[in-house]
Amino acid sequence: MTEMPALERRYRRLLAWYPAEHRRLNGEEMIGVLLAGARAGQRRPRPSDALDLIRGGLRIRLRSLLSGNLDSKLTDALAVYSIIVPVVLLISGAIWATGTNYRWLRETSNMALWWRLQPLGFESLYLALILLPPILVWRRHRRAAVVLALVPAAFATVGAFRLSATSGVVGDSASSLLLMLQAVALAVSPGPRRGLQLLSKPAWAVVCAAGLAAAVPYTPQTEVFFGMPATEAILVVGGVVVTVLAAMLVTLPARVGFRIISLLAAPVYLYGISLPLYGAPSSLISYSLAIVYLPCLALWVLIGIMAWLGRQRRVRATG
Amino acid sequence: MSKQPLQEPTFLILTALAAGPQHGYGIMTDAAHISSGRVKLRAGTLYAALDRLRGDGLVDIEREEIVDGRLRRYYRLTPTGSRRLAEEAEHLSTNASVATSRLRKLATGLAGGTA
């Protein structure tokens, strides 16, 4: 068989649409079949072949999702996520509640992430709703955990679905994604036990640092910015976010780190443009709600429901 | 026993394997031959179908070989698979016979001019 390195490279890229397990078992064989069907000197896959490959990959992914199998790296990332979210909220909430180091929190409290993420208005109830679910999953009461976790997620989602181009709404959309993802993570991941296995001491340090950073209210008025103009302050905030995310990437196992970053990307972006610091124009907010928030929400709710149903089916089958 | 009818590509794959174990590319060319070039089975469709057929126990791996430095797998029909193909072929055949005979009556009816 003649070597067709360019074509083979392109076919391999298309195979990325297939689950990793399937690629591992059948990838080489598929490349062989694809190259066998290629014309001499062909450098690009035919569009119909490419589309067919993508469809096949999606079909196989969908099938494994419906039978309750999610990619293990993704479920590992979700397991870590299910711990990170409560810990960050706990730390930032505790700082806010005591108001010790950040005493201007109480005046400008509506800008802190902590305030943003308590749409119910009752701090202790909210804390319970954040902390209890992972504990319940630990104690094997997964259904109760998911139901509890959905309460704050539902409130934030209702707030976000006002769908007006205001910073409040886009802030709620960030919370909605963050909390909905938490519910999905609790529903379909191996749980906090697995997450704890994956969190090394350096990773814990990063998570705690993220909690501290999340407690800071990012407005131009606070003393944190020492009268910096908004543009410089944005750079500082951006720098903090990038540093925390990069640190997470470094301290977590490679594939898990990447997936956590991609899970957090949309909520962090949405929260970022909700800050009065940034002063986002309402057109950007509208586009972000339509193009970032709604598709991400739909995607994760669908994945969560299908994986949950598949999991139930599998549990029932094995008794 | 009301099963979902087999889709045409799946039917062709099982029919190809009914002749004996074949590898992926062989199944593709055979499927084109069986359908007189009407159905072009592509790799994506083939492997998605094989994934499902193996999951349902209708197809199995016969053997693996290294050809030109690359892995090649040969698939075979399982007893369950050949039973399923036989059932489906029976249904299609029955449907086709009824359709053909009714169409014949329709043609003679029109020619004869009866109501």
Side-chain angles (χ1 to χ4, degrees):
Chain A
M1 191 191 302
T2 47
E3 285 297 310
M4 289 183 270
L7 186 62
E8 178 170 339
R9 214 181 20 235
R10 293 195 169 93
Y11 277 135
R12 275 194 201 282
R13 268 209 290 264
L14 284 168
L15 283 186
W17 288 87
Y18 288 74
E21 186 65 15
H22 187 269
R23 269 201 313 271
R24 194 174 60 83
L25 292 171
N26 301 312
E28 285 309 308
E29 184 194 346
M30 287 182 73
I31 296 284
V33 168
L34 286 163
L35 291 177
R39 286 189 320 272
Q42 187 179 340
R43 291 182 60 80
R44 282 175 198 286
R46 280 178 285 266
S48 50
D49 286 337
L51 212 64
D52 180 69
L53 271 178
I54 295 176
R55 250 208 318 259
L58 289 176
R59 206 175 290 162
I60 292 183
R61 277 187 193 269
L62 186 68
R63 208 175 294 143
S64 60
L65 187 66
L66 286 172
S67 63
N69 296 320
L70 276 177
D71 171 46
S72 67
K73 294 292 188 329
L74 179 62
T75 54
D76 277 350
L78 287 172
V80 172
Y81 182 92
S82 70
I83 296 186
I84 288 181
V85 165
V87 169
V88 167
L89 290 179
L90 179 62
I91 291 177
S92 51
I95 290 175
W96 184 88
T98 60
T100 44
N101 293 337
Y102 307 105
R103 51 192 172 74
W104 12 262
L105 269 180
R106 293 213 178 257
E107 290 101 59
T108 57
S109 60
N110 60 332
M111 294 307 137
L113 179 68
W114 168 245
W115 178 262
R116 280 238 175 277
L117 292 181
Q118 51 151 357
L120 298 168
F122 303 116
E123 287 105 67
S124 44
L125 175 63
Y126 185 66
L127 251 181
L129 287 171
I130 295 290
L131 291 178
L132 271 179
I135 296 173
L136 285 172
V137 173
W138 184 298
R139 307 290 292 161
R140 308 205 193 287
H141 299 299
R142 209 178 269 268
R143 231 175 284 224
V146 174
V147 169
L148 269 187
L150 282 174
V151 173
F155 270 85
T157 309
V158 164
F161 266 68
R162 289 172 289 160
L163 286 177
S164 59
T166 60
S167 67
V169 168
V170 75
D172 280 341
S173 75
S175 313
S176 157
L177 271 185
L178 217 61
L179 296 168
M180 198 61 81
L181 261 175
Q182 171 71 343
V184 170
L186 291 169
V188 305
S189 74
R193 245 177 262 260
R194 175 69 181 141
L196 285 173
Q197 277 176 352
L198 293 165
L199 280 169
S200 58
K201 286 206 183 59
W204 274 108
V206 173
V207 172
C208 293
L212 295 174
V216 175
Y218 294 102
T219 74
Q221 289 85 40
T222 65
E223 285 143 34
V224 175
F225 298 103
F226 304 107
M228 261 191 256
T231 41
E232 278 181 40
I234 288 172
L235 285 176
V236 169
V237 173
V240 167
V241 170
V242 168
T243 311
V244 168
L245 291 180
M248 228 177 266
L249 203 58
V250 165
T251 52
L252 286 170
R255 289 298 164 85
V256 173
F258 273 117
R259 278 164 175 78
I260 295 237
I261 303 286
S262 46
L263 290 176
L264 288 172
V268 165
Y269 164 73
L270 290 169
Y271 177 62
I273 63 170
S274 77
L275 297 175
L277 189 64
Y278 181 71
S282 54
S283 55
L284 177 66
I285 292 181
S286 305
Y287 281 127
S288 303
L289 284 174
I291 295 173
V292 176
Y293 171 59
L294 290 176
C296 280
L297 183 71
L299 178 72
W300 282 106
V301 167
L302 277 173
I303 290 181
I305 291 177
M306 287 198 288
W308 173 255
L309 289 176
R311 192 197 178 97
Q312 298 305 98
R313 211 175 295 139
R314 195 155 38 106
V315 166
R316 230 177 291 134
T318 56
Chain B
M1 133 193 90
S2 55
K3 289 198 186 78
Q4 291 274 40
L6 291 175
Q7 295 202 322
E8 191 167 17
T10 314
F11 184 87
L12 289 171
I13 293 171
L14 292 176
T15 306
L17 290 176
Q22 290 199 59
H23 58 87
Y25 191 66
I27 299 175
M28 283 164 69
T29 41
D30 201 1
H33 171 76
I34 295 168
S35 64
S36 309
R38 195 171 41 84
V39 174
K40 187 172 177 200
L41 193 61
R42 284 185 241 268
T45 311
L46 172 67
Y47 278 91
L50 281 174
D51 179 70
R52 183 178 195 154
L53 287 169
R54 285 174 64 190
D56 292 343
L58 301 181
V59 158
D60 213 346
I61 295 181
E62 156 89 352
R63 68 181 189 276
E64 292 176 0
E65 288 175 0
I66 305 287
V67 176
D68 289 332
R70 226 183 274 279
L71 181 70
R72 181 188 280 185
R73 277 201 187 90
Y74 287 78
Y75 297 89
R76 69 155 192 271
L77 209 55
T78 61
T80 318
S82 62
R83 263 198 306 276
R84 185 76 184 85
L85 180 63
E87 283 166 13
E88 191 70 18
E90 171 84 37
H91 294 151
L92 288 171
S93 173
T94 313
N95 291 355
S97 306
V98 173
T100 315
S101 67
R102 288 191 187 186
L103 282 167
R104 215 178 295 128
K105 285 205 191 78
L106 191 67
T108 49
L110 285 171
T114 52

